[in-house]
Amino acid sequence: MTEDIWGTKDVTSEKGKADENFPVGSLLISRRLRPYVHTYYNFARVADDMVDTTELTPTQKIARLQGMAAVIRGEITAPPRADAQTAARLREVLLKTGVPLDTATDLTVAFCMDAEKNRYDSWEELMHYCRYSANPVGRFLLLLHGESAETLGPSDALCSALQVVNHLQDVAEDLRVMDRCYVPLPWLEQAGVSIDDLRLARSKPGVRKVFDRMLDGVDALNREARVLPLLIRDRRMRLEAAVIVELCEILTRRLRRQDPIAERVALTKADGIKALAKAFRFFPG
């Protein structure tokens, strides 16, 4: 029975925090809470490895991901293997801190989507994916810090915005490596282009039009997210949120100017310094 869930091989990759597009458990988060954030990140990274590996079938991927969720819920015991133990350790953290279990299990819902779904037909479908793939991360961080329910809406907006800009950053690679495309297909058709145009060396005018349409949606999410730092009581978490809000807006603007198909559009260390400086406006006097 255990082998039916976990298989015989741990497919965890060598990816680490340096491979992420945005801060993961940064030094802005208190030293007391940082280990909990790292435990959450390790669980998410292993689940991501499970869905992205080429060594498992979609059915095997879903079985493992559902196994990870079952461990989080306490329905099964994790075997003594590195990948499964990330779920066991996160369960301990969630029970200790009182953060809801669904901030972890919701992530596995998104990864199960990735295991069997590689095309999207609308912005609404994409937002549904973000609801499970990105929004739980912000909710985990805020609830870990004891923040109120009023922070969750703006946090969801910020996390969904981050997810979409990440999709745009990786649009060519996702299609080439995983045959996965998060760009709404009807939008491509309406602009007179196709998914095959995303495989070219640079964006056609129609593709650029679709990217800008997606960024219009991101702009709306960013506007909703701007109030988030004002709602956060914990000073360090407020600063963390303010920095990420600014970084997301910087990257959104950069994706309008640069072509993510022709080049890697990414943040720089200078962007981080600029975002940190701007974040201090939330700390008057």
Side-chain angles (χ1 to χ4, degrees):
M1 179 65 178
T2 297
E3 190 170 308
D4 290 343
I5 296 175
W6 303 105
T8 58
K9 185 178 179 181
D10 186 335
V11 297
T12 303
S13 76
E14 297 299 318
K15 282 190 299 187
K17 288 179 287 183
D19 298 293
E20 301 301 317
N21 292 304
F22 285 86
V24 177
S26 80
L27 295 177
L28 295 179
I29 291 175
S30 74
R31 183 175 297 179
R32 178 179 65 87
L33 297 179
R34 218 174 295 154
Y36 301 150
V37 178
H38 292 161
T39 300
Y40 186 88
Y41 166 76
N42 288 336
F43 167 82
R45 179 180 56 80
V46 167
D48 188 42
D49 288 340
M50 287 178 177
V51 76
D52 281 352
T53 183
T54 58
E55 299 183 47
L56 301 175
T57 66
T59 299
Q60 291 170 327
K61 292 175 181 181
I62 290 171
R64 288 200 193 190
L65 291 164
Q66 290 178 342
M68 295 281 273
V71 170
I72 292 288
R73 291 191 293 265
E75 297 167 353
I76 63 174
T77 301
R81 212 173 74 180
D83 53 359
Q85 285 298 313
T86 63
R89 285 191 289 273
L90 182 54
R91 173 175 166 78
E92 292 176 2
V93 164
L94 296 173
L95 293 177
K96 179 179 179 179
T97 60
V99 176
L101 301 182
D102 62 13
T103 58
T105 57
D106 278 357
L107 290 180
T108 66
V109 174
F111 289 130
C112 284
M113 289 185 206
D114 279 334
E116 55 187 357
K117 180 179 177 65
N118 59 4
R119 300 290 187 270
Y120 285 78
D121 289 324
S122 68
W123 178 258
E124 290 71 27
E125 266 195 8
L126 185 56
M127 289 298 98
H128 177 73
Y129 173 78
C130 293
R131 146 84 177 86
Y132 292 98
S133 68
N135 299 3
V137 179
R139 287 176 172 244
F140 169 81
L141 287 170
L142 290 167
L143 296 174
L144 179 65
H145 284 80
E147 297 299 333
S148 67
E150 69 177 337
T151 63
L152 300 183
S155 172
D156 288 348
L158 175 60
C159 292
S160 291
L162 292 170
Q163 182 71 89
V164 176
V165 296
N166 180 238
H167 290 328
L168 286 171
Q169 284 177 288
D170 297 337
V171 62
E173 184 177 4
D174 282 345
L175 191 56
R176 177 179 60 82
V177 176
M178 303 300 301
D179 190 32
R180 199 178 286 156
C181 180
Y182 298 96
V183 179
L185 297 186
W187 290 13
L188 292 170
E189 184 178 354
Q190 291 163 19
V193 291
S194 72
I195 195 169
D196 288 332
D197 291 310
L198 302 178
R199 306 180 195 273
L200 301 177
R202 58 184 57 83
S203 292
K204 288 183 173 182
V207 169
R208 182 69 258 179
K209 182 177 180 181
V210 173
F211 289 170
D212 286 340
R213 186 176 178 183
M214 293 179 71
L215 290 169
D216 288 343
V218 172
D219 282 340
L221 293 168
N222 283 339
R223 286 192 293 272
E224 186 178 345
R226 283 175 195 156
V227 301
L228 178 59
L230 297 172
L231 302 175
I232 296 175
R233 295 176 304 229
D234 182 273
R235 289 176 63 85
R236 296 180 71 110
M237 188 62 221
R238 188 191 315 158
L239 186 58
E240 173 90 350
V243 167
I244 295 176
V245 165
E246 182 62 27
L247 289 175
C248 188
E249 294 196 357
I250 289 171
L251 188 52
T252 301
R253 292 192 295 269
R254 189 161 295 158
L255 282 163
R256 285 197 184 273
R257 297 193 306 267
Q258 296 176 228
D259 182 0
I261 290 183
E263 61 183 318
R264 176 66 179 170
V265 181
L267 295 166
T268 66
K269 289 183 179 179
D271 293 328
I273 295 170
K274 178 181 178 182
L276 183 59
K278 280 198 169 185
F280 279 109
R281 72 183 184 276
F282 293 101
F283 298 85

